[in-house]
Amino acid sequence: MATETHDAVAGTCVDAGGSALGMPQLCADWMPNQIFWLVITLIAIYLLMSRIALPRIGAVLAERSGTITNDIAAAEDLKNKAAEAEAAYDQALLDARSEAQKIVAAAKAEIQAELDVELQKADAQIAAKTAESEAAIAEIRAGAIKSVTDVAKDTAKELVAAMGGTADAKTITAAVTARMKG
Amino acid sequence: MATEEHSEGGLVFHPLDQFIVKPLFGDGPVHWYTPTNVTLWMAIALLAIAAVFVLGSRGRAVVPTRLQSIGELIYGFIYKMVEDVTGKDGVKYFPYIMTLFLFILFSNYLALIPMSYSPTSMIAVTAVLGFGVFIAVTILGFVKNGPAFLGLFWMSDAPAILRPIIAIIEVISYFVRPVSHSIRLAGNIMAGHAVLKVFAGFAALTLVSPLAIFGIVAIYGLEILVCGIQAYVFTILTCVYLKDALHPAH
């Protein structure tokens, strides 16, 4: 083989001009070279892959999927917690509302009771005042009637005297009283 | 052939010259140990893989950097493929399948750089890959299952008369696997690059050069697809063969 390919560039596969004779793929002289370097390259790639690259990338991918799984679990956890908190909040709101309603009702009842008592007291007071006033009015009226009678008697006496008659006080009084009644 | 076209003038086609193996240093013969352009581009693929997977994952960041997420994406893609196709017990062969996938993927895409060399277009390279998978899977099948591995060829749920015929077909198809496995990859890559070169040759003719350049762009786009798909196909077929070795029963 060596002797054949030795004479310059031209050999069994290449013509004198440096062009291929037939298919270079089928040139048996070149095959051992390709096969040798292919095997070297494949072994190198295999060692590079199996020793360094693949374990490294595998570890990174595993770590990433682990991280993602953890994160998703944590997110799920937080979501549950949030839901719980929301439920608790709703419950608290509900409790507070019913409590407030209770308090409002109690306050209303209390106020109502106080109001009733006050109203009763006020009514009683008003009734007492009314009775007092009525008594006063009655007294005033009685006073007024008496005054009117007195004034009438005096006026009658004076009129009788002015007309020149002497009037007996008793008769005049009786007459005025009778008129007043009439 | 080549000299004929030379005499015609500008139009020279050497679509296969790009696959010539040359020594990197000097013009000597190509021994099996000579560093050649094949070596160079395999080394570049190796460095690119190291850059993405070793430098990229250096930070071991839980929130990945751009480079690290590329590595993680490829890792996840291949890992899922191995797990889905071969099952849980196939996962321990994941580094081997990852090695194959990365080598093919990076070689394919690096070969799309103009003036580069495409190791995966060489039959010798893909044959080593294909037959390597074939031999490894066959040995693994016998080691794991013993003679029961031959049940792969015996369809027990087929009608009794058909079984021997099916068995013959299955055996033939089993032995054709590595051939198709390797020629599919090399053929696709080689054809794509040769077609690119042919279009590039036409681009020298003023009349058709716009069309030729459009053709280069179109084929280049197609090749971007083919490079990924061929790496994927090679890998998933490897997984399927591995599954057959681990679970030979149909």
Side-chain angles (χ1 to χ4, degrees):
Chain A
M1 184 188 80
T3 47
E4 275 175 14
T5 48
H6 234 296
D7 45 5
V9 189
T12 48
C13 310
V14 177
D15 64 15
S19 291
L21 289 172
M23 282 174 73
Q25 276 81 359
L26 299 179
C27 176
D29 288 355
W30 294 337
M31 283 185 181
N33 181 270
Q34 297 163 33
I35 293 167
F36 170 69
W37 289 111
L38 172 68
V39 170
I40 299 279
T41 311
L42 285 181
I43 290 171
I45 295 174
Y46 175 74
L47 290 178
L48 213 60
M49 286 296 116
S50 62
R51 294 288 154 83
I52 306 172
L54 298 185
R56 203 186 271 176
I57 293 174
V60 169
L61 290 180
E63 193 188 341
R64 180 173 314 144
S65 75
T67 311
I68 288 170
T69 313
N70 284 346
D71 285 1
I72 287 173
E76 192 71 25
D77 214 34
L78 289 177
K79 196 181 156 199
N80 287 342
K81 267 185 195 159
E84 262 170 44
E86 199 194 343
Y89 169 77
D90 281 348
Q91 188 57 44
L93 206 65
L94 219 64
D95 286 353
R97 199 167 281 160
S98 66
E99 189 71 19
Q101 265 162 1
K102 240 182 261 172
I103 289 170
V104 166
K108 218 179 250 175
E110 204 174 299
I111 288 167
Q112 193 60 50
E114 266 175 39
L115 202 64
D116 286 351
V117 171
E118 287 297 319
L119 275 176
Q120 268 172 357
K121 229 186 256 175
D123 280 351
Q125 265 176 1
I126 288 164
K129 278 265 162 72
T130 312
E132 211 172 282
S133 308
E134 267 168 12
I137 289 167
E139 201 174 295
I140 289 166
R141 185 176 288 158
I145 288 169
K146 195 172 172 283
S147 306
V148 168
T149 315
D150 288 349
V151 169
K153 280 175 191 166
D154 288 349
T155 314
K157 261 179 220 168
E158 286 303 316
L159 276 175
V160 171
M163 282 177 184
T166 46
D168 182 14
K170 258 191 187 159
T171 12
I172 289 170
T173 308
V176 169
T177 311
R179 276 285 182 167
M180 294 273 289
K181 272 177 189 164
Chain B
M1 181 185 82
T3 46
E4 251 173 56
E5 280 156 3
H6 249 301
S7 57
E8 273 177 26
L11 200 58
V12 187
F13 289 115
H14 295 297
L16 296 179
D17 281 5
Q18 58 178 319
F19 303 117
I20 291 174
V21 177
K22 293 183 208 103
L24 272 184
F25 312 107
D27 274 341
V30 177
H31 295 291
W32 60 268
Y33 52 83
T34 315
T36 57
N37 45 1
V38 179
T39 317
L40 174 68
W41 285 94
M42 283 183 182
I44 291 174
L46 176 65
L47 288 178
I49 291 167
V52 172
F53 281 86
V54 179
L55 285 184
S57 66
R58 188 184 37 189
R60 295 162 210 262
V62 172
V63 178
T65 58
R66 284 177 218 172
L67 209 54
Q68 190 185 329
S69 53
I70 292 173
E72 283 174 8
L73 212 68
I74 296 175
Y75 180 102
F77 178 65
I78 300 300
Y79 191 89
K80 197 169 165 348
M81 185 199 290
V82 173
E83 199 177 28
D84 286 353
V85 176
T86 65
K88 281 271 178 234
D89 46 352
V91 165
K92 64 169 174 281
Y93 306 106
F94 164 62
Y96 300 100
I97 290 167
M98 188 77 170
T99 303
L100 286 178
F101 178 74
L102 287 180
F103 174 72
I104 296 168
L105 188 79
F106 277 74
S107 296
N108 283 356
Y109 277 113
L110 287 170
L112 284 181
I113 299 169
M115 308 302 291
S116 69
Y117 189 83
S118 43
T120 41
S121 69
M122 304 303 275
I123 293 287
V125 170
T126 58
V128 168
L129 297 174
F131 278 92
V133 168
F134 174 75
I135 293 166
V137 158
T138 307
I139 292 172
L140 192 72
F142 278 112
V143 167
K144 286 263 164 187
N145 306 288
F149 181 57
L150 293 173
L152 183 65
F153 308 115
W154 196 253
M155 290 280 219
S156 47
D157 48 356
I161 313 164
L162 287 179
R163 273 182 220 168
I165 303 168
I166 291 174
I168 293 169
I169 296 172
E170 287 279 333
V171 168
I172 293 172
S173 82
Y174 187 80
F175 283 98
V176 168
R177 272 176 181 185
V179 178
S180 65
H181 204 190
S182 48
I183 289 180
R184 182 184 302 112
L185 175 59
N188 268 286
I189 303 302
M190 189 198 83
H193 286 258
V195 168
L196 279 175
K197 263 279 162 20
V198 170
F199 271 106
F202 273 117
L205 283 179
T206 327
L207 206 62
V208 289
S209 66
L211 200 67
I213 289 167
F214 175 77
I216 292 175
V217 173
I219 297 292
Y220 196 91
L222 185 70
E223 279 305 293
I224 289 174
L225 249 139
V226 166
C227 285
I229 289 170
Q230 285 308 317
Y232 174 73
V233 165
F234 193 97
T235 315
I236 201 156
L237 281 176
T238 305
C239 290
V240 170
Y241 300 161
L242 183 62
K243 189 210 79 181
D244 281 346
L246 297 174
H247 316 283
H250 277 281

